């Protein structure tokens, strides 16, 4: 587990370094890190998806909820946080380390941790203790269930190379959808700061 010291160092630097505490202002840097993270996940591809057609699965990503405009700011932050946390959880296992190029995997994890650190600051600001329970219901619960399905799928497929490729593509799709949610959060914050 050679990647852990550098992951921990990255988390410390993001949490305490200059600009690490962004409050609820999701900066352009946050969005850029998200795009870079998505690009890294794309580069991790090891198999052609056409070799894995028999392993395809509809994980029922709650796309309309994520891309639609019905979420309040606290819910949107909670959903995005859950999505990044669960993605990190999937790719932060021993089996994941065996499946992917370790350099790309470590950079991908660091990107997720940077985004999570930004969102942790936001969650603390927009959600009081009472709001925290509300944020964990509904949309966030739907996101949790979606990722539970991915975990179960990997187990059922024995963490095969094709299963990992299908999951990589699915996580790419969900993280791509999250970019519109991040942009909306930036606009919400801009609207709040302009008043």
């Amino acid at each position: 587990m050679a990647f852990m010291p550098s992951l921990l160092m990255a988390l410390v630097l993001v949490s305490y370094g200059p600009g690490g505490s962004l409050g609820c202002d999701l900066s352009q840097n946050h969005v850029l890190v998200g795009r870079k993270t998505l690009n890294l996940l794309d580069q991790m591809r090891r198999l052609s998806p056409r070799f894995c057609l028999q392993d395809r699965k509809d994980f029922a990503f709650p796309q309309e909820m994520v891309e639609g405009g019905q979420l309040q700011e606290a819910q949107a932050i909670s959903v995005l946080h859950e999505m990044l946390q669960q993605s990190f959880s999937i790719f932060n296992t021993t089996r994941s380390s065996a499946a992917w190029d370790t350099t790309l995997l470590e950079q991908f994890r660091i990107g997720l941790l940077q985004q999570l650190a930004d969102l942790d600051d936001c969650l603390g600001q927009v959600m009081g203790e009472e709001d925290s329970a509300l944020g964990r219901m509904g949309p966030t619960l739907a996101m949790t269930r979606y990722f539970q399905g991915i975990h179960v799928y990997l187990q059922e497929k024995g963490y095969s190379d094709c299963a990992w490729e299908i999951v990589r593509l699915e996580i790419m799709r969900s993280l791509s959808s999250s970019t519109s949610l991040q942009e909306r959060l930036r606009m919400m914050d801009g609207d709040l700061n302009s008043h």
Side-chain angles (χ1 to χ4, degrees):
M1 293 221 168
F3 61 87
M4 284 310 289
S6 55
L7 275 177
L8 293 173
M9 180 58 80
L11 185 57
V12 169
L13 290 174
V14 167
S15 298
Y16 298 108
S21 178
L22 297 174
C24 236
D25 178 19
L26 291 181
S27 68
Q28 184 62 31
N29 185 54
H30 178 85
V31 175
L32 292 174
V33 168
R35 288 185 186 136
K36 181 180 176 192
T37 301
L38 195 57
N39 187 39
L40 286 165
L41 190 56
D42 185 43
Q43 291 175 40
M44 287 167 59
R45 178 179 140 174
R46 291 181 29 198
L47 293 172
S48 172
R50 73 171 179 255
F51 293 124
C52 301
L53 293 177
Q54 75 282 0
D55 291 300
R56 285 185 307 178
K57 178 176 173 68
D58 180 5
F59 293 99
F61 178 69
Q63 188 159 354
E64 188 172 308
M65 177 192 70
V66 172
E67 292 181 355
Q70 72 268 25
L71 294 179
Q72 300 297 319
E73 183 180 23
Q75 289 176 318
I77 291 169
S78 181
V79 164
L80 185 56
H81 190 277
E82 185 69 14
M83 186 183 301
L84 294 170
Q85 183 67 48
Q86 291 284 345
S87 297
F88 181 81
S89 173
I90 287 171
F91 287 95
N92 192 38
T93 64
T94 304
R95 290 196 162 141
S96 172
S97 296
W100 306 109
D101 174 279
T102 54
T103 302
L104 291 173
L105 181 61
E106 184 173 348
Q107 291 172 354
F108 174 69
R109 290 172 177 156
I110 289 169
L112 290 175
L113 287 174
Q114 287 174 328
Q115 292 176 291
L116 282 166
D118 291 348
L119 288 173
D120 281 340
D121 292 335
C122 275
L123 267 176
Q125 286 187 16
V126 299
M127 297 180 97
E129 288 189 24
E130 293 173 25
D131 291 334
S132 181
L134 292 173
R136 290 278 165 206
M137 296 174 155
T140 305
L141 188 56
M143 191 59 64
T144 302
R145 287 185 179 140
Y146 162 73
F147 276 98
Q148 284 172 344
I150 293 173
H151 283 283
V152 168
Y153 169 81
L154 280 169
Q155 289 172 344
E156 288 174 349
K157 293 290 185 176
Y159 300 89
S160 70
D161 289 344
C162 273
W164 276 115
E165 178 58 23
I166 296 299
V167 166
R168 185 192 67 81
L169 288 169
E170 183 66 22
I171 300 297
M172 276 193 68
R173 191 180 106 181
S174 65
L175 291 178
S176 292
S177 293
S178 78
T179 56
S180 65
L181 186 57
Q182 291 177 43
E183 286 293 337
R184 206 167 68 237
L185 281 169
R186 287 188 70 230
M187 290 192 303
M188 282 181 196
D189 188 55
D191 291 344
L192 291 174
N193 288 336
S194 64
H195 291 106

